[in-house]
Amino acid sequence: MTTTGTDHAAAVQIEPQYRTRIKSYVTEHHLRPITTKEKIIVGATVPGDVELEAVPSDWGPSLTKYRYVYSGDRVMLVDPGSRTLVQEID
């Protein structure tokens, strides 16, 4: 697993009101967390067998280009092109 590439993760800005919406979404939709053999960290590549979910539009316009996975009580934003984890929202 790679741990390089974490510098671009700081570019993902999530305003507080959107963080609240994301947390509400997780609760309301009873998202089932995924499990992976290895811990997924920011900058790492999400394994190919993990399904990436579309980001709902009400999470904010800056996030809709990403996909997400839910694991360990955290929503993790993933760049769908590279499958790189770019941001954790806990």
Side-chain angles (χ1 to χ4, degrees):
M1 182 183 303
T2 62
T3 55
T4 58
T6 56
D7 53 339
H8 70 277
V12 181
Q13 295 297 320
I14 304 170
E15 290 78 18
Q17 73 268 24
Y18 291 127
R19 284 183 183 272
T20 302
R21 285 186 193 163
I22 293 167
K23 290 175 186 174
S24 298
Y25 181 90
V26 168
T27 305
E28 291 166 15
H29 291 83
H30 305 290
L31 297 184
R32 287 203 333 245
I34 58 138
T35 54
T36 57
K37 292 177 189 152
E38 298 177 23
K39 181 172 169 57
I40 305 172
I41 59 170
V42 172
T45 302
V46 177
D49 61 342
V50 173
E51 187 174 343
L52 303 179
E53 303 290 340
V55 168
S57 59
D58 66 349
W59 287 14
S62 64
L63 301 185
T64 55
K65 65 183 175 185
Y66 297 106
R67 299 292 177 263
Y68 77 90
V69 294
Y70 180 64
S71 177
D73 291 332
R74 287 180 162 76
V75 172
M76 296 183 260
L77 294 177
V78 179
D79 179 324
S82 64
R83 297 186 67 88
T84 302
L85 184 101
V86 295
Q87 181 83 7
E88 270 189 36
I89 306 156
D90 55 7

